Amino acid sequence: MYIPTRLKQARERRKLTKKAFADLIGISSKTVSIYESSQPQFELQDEMIQKFAIALGYPVEFFYKAISETIDPESISFRAVTKLSSRLKLATEAASVNALELSEWIDSKFKNLPKVQLPDYSHDNRNDPEVAAMELRNVWALGELSVKNMIHLLESKGVRVFSLSEDCKEVDAFSFWKGDRPFVVLNQFKTPERSRFDAAHELAHLILHKHGCQNKGREAELEADRFASAFLMPRGSVLAKVRPNANAALKDILALKKNWNVSAMAMIRRLYDLSCLTEWQYRQLTISATKEGYRSCEPEGLEQREKSLLLEKVFISLKDKGYRRVDICNELFLPLDEISNLTFNNPFFSLSLVSQNTQIGDQPYRASLSLVK
């Protein structure tokens, strides 16, 4: 049976208006609205659904795929939502549905995946960002050291992390809860340092603003930024290297940021928040860094971008069991490019083997993935 919601999802994921899509397949935008309505007034012919598939680059079977669960758009925490166009917002919401279904498919194939270990700080005094960051580091036994890999750390705590290859500044990252499972989706068109900050920022939304109940407006974004800054650059380790009222120059910032793998701009802000810089010094460093272009590119940046270890291990296990990439596409009824975009653009059949003793975050992750029989 044709599922009208699937047409709407695929069209929005491709960032097409109803008129633009109608022009592609030679019908009116009013007819598209009818096709996407919950109860179409007439039955669609197979030839028309073939047109949908060709125009949108989705398999025909996708439009017959039942929808088991949906995502409440209000539960999604978007960065800079006021700057996000309706077209991009709908596209990313559609991507979140694809990520959820990919995650559910992985759950159906594997057992002993990491369990969720995220505390809920949305209803007590630990929702103060700095306090919450320190508390979470204690709970996760991270100490004061730099987090080696934010994505691996999140995955080890049960967060499902996917990627989004949207070549635009408006979509940084977003997160949401689906039942008891937290999700983070990161845009790959960012520097590695800024992507790490985005991951920590979304972690803040998951624990401080659970289910989006308190994630409304600029205040929530500032709280998430403060949490990310404190989580990535712990007060104790920063103050051990920089004394209060230090007269740091830009070259000092470039040296310091490497200790925590953060951006130069984030480092400057953290030093100011910890009173290591006066307001005048903070402004001068910010001006100098902006003139050097550090807001859009990262000086002496990380060479490698963080990627999902969980997905890598999943694909390796599937390959060992004889799965091909086309088999996954056929089972999910998703196009190849969408799966690639969601999985950090990493074709599973070309991945190198990962040691069973690979570190996730700052803790060993020794559990091998077992396929459900």
Side-chain angles (χ1 to χ4, degrees):
M1 181 181 296
Y2 164 69
I3 308 296
T5 306
R6 290 300 187 184
L7 175 58
K8 183 174 184 290
Q9 179 189 348
R11 175 182 62 77
E12 291 177 345
R13 183 70 195 104
R14 296 307 191 192
K15 306 183 184 70
L16 293 174
T17 64
K18 290 180 181 179
K19 184 180 186 308
F21 176 62
D23 292 343
L24 280 177
I25 59 177
I27 60 176
S28 68
S29 56
K30 182 178 180 180
T31 303
V32 172
S33 296
I34 294 173
Y35 287 162
E36 291 183 356
S37 66
S38 57
Q39 294 181 332
Q41 299 174 4
F42 43 84
E43 184 176 350
L44 269 72
Q45 299 297 317
D46 291 343
E47 291 80 2
M48 181 56 68
I49 296 179
Q50 286 279 359
K51 288 185 177 182
F52 295 168
I54 293 172
L56 296 171
Y58 271 69
V60 168
E61 293 82 1
F62 175 83
F63 301 97
Y64 297 99
K65 182 181 179 182
I67 298 178
S68 58
E69 291 188 274
T70 58
I71 297 175
D72 180 3
E74 292 298 316
S75 69
I76 301 177
S77 300
F78 283 110
R79 300 284 300 275
V81 66
T82 56
K83 298 180 181 180
L84 192 63
S85 69
S86 174
R87 181 171 57 90
L88 284 173
K89 185 173 185 293
L90 292 173
T92 51
E93 288 172 0
S96 69
V97 175
N98 288 338
L100 174 62
E101 293 183 346
L102 175 55
S103 179
E104 290 176 338
W105 182 84
I106 291 172
D107 285 337
S108 73
K109 297 294 182 182
F110 293 90
K111 56 186 179 181
N112 67 291
L113 295 169
K115 304 299 182 184
V116 177
Q117 302 177 58
L118 261 63
D120 182 0
Y121 293 163
S122 61
H123 301 294
D124 59 31
N125 60 5
R126 284 172 297 188
N127 62 4
D128 174 84
E130 185 89 24
V131 174
M134 293 174 61
E135 173 69 12
L136 186 59
R137 274 184 159 270
N138 290 334
V139 170
W140 286 353
L142 299 179
E144 291 280 341
L145 298 178
S146 172
V147 175
K148 295 177 182 178
N149 189 305
M150 273 301 302
I151 293 179
H152 296 177
L153 176 62
L154 292 180
E155 289 181 325
S156 73
K157 304 305 179 183
V159 181
R160 293 293 167 82
V161 185
F162 294 95
S163 58
L164 192 68
S165 296
E166 306 297 299
D167 189 7
C168 61
K169 296 179 180 179
E170 292 84 358
V171 183
D172 290 330
F174 64 94
S175 57
F176 61 93
W177 284 88
K178 183 56 181 178
D180 294 329
R181 174 70 67 182
F183 289 80
V184 167
V185 183
L186 301 172
N187 195 339
Q188 293 299 282
F189 285 89
K190 303 286 289 290
T191 66
E193 291 85 356
R194 292 176 186 272
S195 187
R196 278 170 55 85
F197 194 93
D198 284 349
H201 179 105
E202 297 309 321
L203 172 61
H205 282 315
L206 292 174
I207 66 172
L208 297 181
H209 316 124
K210 192 172 184 180
H211 299 296
C213 62
Q214 300 175 33
N215 182 25
K216 304 296 181 183
R218 179 62 176 165
E219 183 178 352
E221 292 303 312
L222 291 175
E223 289 178 355
D225 278 344
R226 287 177 57 201
F227 174 95
S229 181
F231 188 80
L232 291 174
M233 296 166 280
R235 174 186 296 269
S237 63
V238 174
L239 293 180
K241 290 184 175 293
V242 186
R243 69 182 185 276
N245 297 316
N247 188 21
L250 202 55
K251 62 180 179 60
D252 300 315
I253 298 297
L254 299 186
L256 284 169
K257 77 185 189 74
K258 296 177 182 178
N259 290 285
W260 298 277
N261 293 325
V262 296
S263 69
M265 300 303 293
M267 190 74 250
I268 293 171
R269 179 67 198 194
R270 184 57 172 159
L271 292 182
Y272 174 66
D273 289 340
L274 293 177
S275 299
C276 295
L277 297 174
T278 65
E279 184 174 353
W280 183 87
Q281 290 170 336
Y282 168 67
R283 288 181 178 179
Q284 292 303 308
L285 281 172
T286 300
I287 292 171
S288 297
T290 300
K291 287 181 178 179
E292 294 293 333
Y294 294 171
R295 288 190 182 276
S296 57
C297 63
E298 192 58 39
E300 302 178 25
L302 295 171
E303 295 182 1
Q304 292 188 336
R305 178 180 300 280
E306 295 180 358
K307 297 185 178 182
S308 168
L309 176 59
L310 178 66
L311 293 175
E312 187 173 347
K313 291 172 74 70
V314 161
F315 293 146
I316 290 170
S317 296
L318 290 172
K319 179 183 178 183
D320 291 343
K321 295 294 182 179
Y323 267 83
R324 299 170 300 164
R325 187 92 184 245
V326 67
D327 297 324
I328 296 178
C329 293
N330 289 340
E331 289 193 19
L332 287 167
F333 302 139
L334 286 175
L336 181 65
D337 69 305
E338 182 67 355
I339 297 176
S340 179
N341 288 341
L342 289 171
T343 58
F344 298 86
N345 298 315
N346 207 344
F348 83 98
F349 49 79
S350 66
L351 296 175
S352 59
L353 291 177
V354 180
S355 167
Q356 295 296 331
N357 290 331
T358 299
Q359 293 283 123
I360 289 191
D362 298 297
Q363 302 175 12
Y365 179 56
R366 303 180 186 279
S368 59
L369 299 177
S370 302
L371 282 168
V372 174
K373 297 181 179 180

